[in-house]
């Protein structure tokens, strides 16, 4: 079953990540990519603003990442995605602690899991060794995508230092 994930809700629910950390999105993306590839579940994660606002990245075959530009929010983008998938929504699980997103998911027929519950699931998977090294190597396109993402981040940091 694929997931629609409210990224910042999930970061806030994870005990070892913090929304104050400038690399919080990157840390969650890596964790989700490994989890999704090992569990064989596709996911789309949405973040409000962030360094890469209004950009979409594919993190491997299992994870797509959306950074949403204001005035839209990740919640808006998740509701739009539910509308886009339409009749397929009952096949999806929405991970969010936002009541409006949960209500939209239920109305669409999607399953709802609160961020804290999913965070514990991620933690259990890591503690039982289910999350470790990815079970496959990245293809050249995926490697280039990650390098471009990190180069962009480094360029943004360099601009801020001058």
């Amino acid at each position: 079953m694929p997931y629609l994930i409210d990224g910042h809700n999930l970061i806030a629910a994870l005990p070892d990540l913090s929304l104050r950390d400038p690399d919080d999105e990157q840390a969650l993306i890596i964790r989700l990519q490994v989890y999704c590839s090992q569990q064989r579940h596709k996911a789309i994660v949405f973040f409000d603003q962030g360094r890469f606002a209004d950009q979409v990245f594919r993190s491997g075959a299992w994870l797509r990442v959306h950074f949403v530009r204001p005035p839209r929010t990740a919640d808006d983008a998740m509701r739009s995605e539910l509308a886009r998938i339409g009749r397929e929504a009952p096949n999806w699980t929405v991970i969010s602690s936002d009541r409006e997103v949960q209500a939209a998911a239920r109305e669409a027929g999607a399953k709802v899991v609160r961020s804290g519950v999913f965070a514990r699931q991620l933690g259990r998977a890591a503690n039982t060794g289910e999350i470790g090294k990815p079970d496959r190597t990245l293809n050249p396109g995926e490697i280039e995508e990650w390098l471009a993402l990190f180069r962009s981040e480094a360029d943004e940091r360099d601009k801020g230092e001058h």
Side-chain angles (χ1 to χ4, degrees):
M1 179 172 282
Y3 301 114
L4 291 180
I5 301 171
D6 186 331
H8 286 132
N9 270 200
L10 186 53
I11 289 169
L14 287 162
D16 58 335
L17 293 182
S18 171
L19 291 168
R20 289 180 293 236
D21 181 351
D23 298 322
D24 60 344
E25 292 101 346
Q26 178 182 338
L28 180 62
I29 289 166
I30 292 167
R31 187 175 300 182
L32 287 172
Q33 197 280 328
V34 171
Y35 177 82
C36 291
S37 70
Q38 291 184 339
Q39 299 297 315
R40 301 286 189 231
H41 290 291
K42 291 194 177 214
I44 306 170
V45 61
F46 297 86
F47 294 103
D48 291 308
Q49 302 173 5
R51 292 188 197 116
F52 309 104
D54 226 20
Q55 294 185 39
V56 178
F57 298 95
R58 181 165 296 284
S59 176
W62 301 100
L63 183 65
R64 208 169 59 197
V65 181
H66 289 261
F67 291 91
V68 182
R69 180 181 300 214
R72 288 187 78 215
T73 65
D75 296 350
D76 296 334
M78 290 179 74
R79 286 190 293 269
S80 293
E81 187 66 18
L82 284 165
R84 187 193 71 74
I85 61 178
R87 287 196 264 176
E88 292 297 314
N91 298 323
W92 288 73
T93 298
V94 173
I95 312 298
S96 180
S97 295
D98 183 277
R99 289 185 180 136
E100 290 179 13
V101 172
Q102 291 175 347
R106 286 186 185 101
E107 186 176 316
K111 182 180 176 187
V112 173
V113 175
R114 289 186 334 270
S115 297
V117 172
F118 191 74
R120 286 190 293 279
Q121 184 177 330
L122 281 176
R124 279 193 304 274
N127 290 336
T128 60
E130 289 180 38
I131 296 181
K133 293 181 181 177
D135 62 351
R136 65 175 186 81
T137 58
L138 298 176
N139 69 44
E142 291 169 329
I143 292 170
E144 191 53 44
E145 194 170 7
W146 277 108
L147 289 172
L149 175 71
F150 295 128
R151 272 189 225 114
S152 297
E153 183 177 316
D155 291 346
E156 288 298 316
R157 283 188 186 151
D158 290 345
K159 286 179 188 175
E161 292 177 5
H162 296 286

